[in-house]
Amino acid sequence: MNIEIERLQHLINTSKNVVFFGGAGVSTESGIKDFRSKEGLYNLQSKYGRPYEEMLSHTYFMNHTETFYKFYREFMINLDAKPNEAHKYLAELEKRKNLTIITQNIDGLHQLAGSKNVLELHGSIHRNYCMRCHRLFNLDDILKMDTVPICPNCNGLIKPDVVLYEEGLDQDTLEASVKALYNADLLIVAGTSLRVYPASGLIHYYRGTNIVVINKEHLSLGEHVTLEINEPVGKVFSQLK
């Protein structure tokens, strides 16, 4: 165990209220693409005539619903993805620490690993709802339907319960995130570029003294960072106890 890992272990062991704030880089080791890295989704040549980032907007969803769902099924749903060492470690840590996971991911891998206290800022592919009658559908329901899922109850359009560009975050999730950050004495920021607002702005509600950054690329958070480890998140957590 190297010095950085030992220091991270000590910070976790001596903290009471831990917040893990994670982004797409937490799930890349599970085979899910991130968005902004060199190999990320937004840097791929689009096969649909529009940039993939634009296709994740509310406007595109409403105006090009069929194409949106083709893209969504291909790139946003990965049924083969399994929790990696980061997800597994956090699920075990929750059993002995007051841990809150705040995630920007929509893949549900934290819950699949066993974590309970998960705040999903951008929603989840596992939840879907009818935009007309608000009936709820799980992912299996959606996958059994045609390209554009239609509610069997009212013929309304079914939308994934994920936050697209131009849409606001869920207020209850925001408030719970702010409360967890405000009361935390350790904040671990992992696998995120912190370029997506308003989610990234939440870390400013943290009032503790120890911030750990785990990210393959350097993340500039100023002088408040206690420890920065530029390694894959799962690789780091696989070395912890």
Side-chain angles (χ1 to χ4, degrees):
M1 186 180 291
N2 64 36
I3 295 176
E4 289 181 333
I5 299 299
E6 287 182 352
R7 192 174 183 193
L8 174 57
Q9 185 76 73
H10 175 74
L11 288 169
I12 292 173
N13 290 346
T14 56
S15 298
K16 294 182 178 179
N17 299 306
V18 181
V19 167
F20 177 87
F21 187 98
V26 177
S27 293
T28 52
E29 289 162 277
S30 295
I32 297 177
K33 278 191 173 296
D34 64 8
F35 295 92
R36 290 176 172 79
S37 71
K38 292 180 180 179
E39 298 80 23
L41 182 62
Y42 292 164
N43 288 313
L44 296 180
Q45 180 66 38
S46 176
K47 59 194 290 185
Y48 295 104
R50 303 303 304 170
Y52 289 144
E53 187 168 11
E54 178 185 328
M55 294 178 71
L56 283 173
S57 69
H58 179 83
T59 296
Y60 193 91
F61 171 78
M62 297 303 298
N63 293 338
H64 308 278
T65 309
E66 184 174 356
T67 307
F68 170 89
Y69 263 110
K70 288 179 181 178
F71 156 76
Y72 180 79
R73 290 170 184 266
E74 180 176 0
F75 289 103
M76 308 307 291
I77 298 175
N78 186 339
L79 298 179
D80 295 326
K82 298 293 186 290
N84 60 50
E85 294 302 319
H87 302 105
K88 295 174 184 177
Y89 176 80
L90 290 168
E92 289 300 314
L93 184 63
E94 188 182 66
K95 297 176 182 178
R96 52 190 172 90
K97 289 285 181 181
N98 184 13
L99 169 67
T100 301
I101 296 171
I102 303 174
T103 180
Q104 299 174 81
N105 296 336
I106 61 174
D107 50 49
L109 291 180
H110 285 294
Q111 292 92 330
L112 188 59
S115 292
K116 306 296 184 185
N117 193 17
V118 183
L119 299 173
E120 297 172 307
L121 292 174
H122 296 150
S124 173
I125 62 171
H126 297 281
R127 298 189 302 271
N128 305 269
Y129 66 93
C130 173
M131 298 181 73
R132 181 179 295 170
C133 72
H134 307 294
R135 179 175 172 179
L136 300 178
F137 300 87
N138 60 35
L139 182 57
D140 287 339
D141 295 330
I142 300 304
L143 294 177
K144 292 175 184 176
M145 297 182 185
D146 293 332
T147 303
V148 177
I150 298 297
C151 177
N153 185 53
C154 71
N155 291 320
L157 174 63
I158 297 174
K159 180 185 181 297
D161 189 15
V162 299
V163 179
L164 302 175
Y165 291 115
E166 305 166 343
E167 296 178 346
L169 303 188
D170 177 75
Q171 191 62 35
D172 290 340
T173 304
L174 277 175
E175 291 177 2
S177 299
V178 169
K179 182 178 180 181
L181 285 160
Y182 190 85
N183 293 319
D185 54 7
L186 174 62
L187 170 60
I188 302 174
V189 179
T192 176
S193 64
L194 289 181
R195 295 178 192 170
V196 179
Y197 286 87
S200 60
L202 285 173
I203 64 171
H204 298 300
Y205 289 96
Y206 176 64
R207 295 294 182 267
T209 56
N210 291 315
I211 298 179
V212 174
V213 172
I214 306 172
N215 204 50
K216 287 195 291 186
E217 299 177 357
H218 172 68
L219 190 63
S220 180
L221 286 180
E223 60 186 15
H224 303 294
V225 175
T226 306
L227 174 64
E228 179 169 3
I229 304 176
N230 297 128
E231 296 283 352
V233 186
K235 179 181 178 182
V236 172
F237 282 147
S238 68
Q239 302 174 67
L240 297 174
K241 298 178 180 179

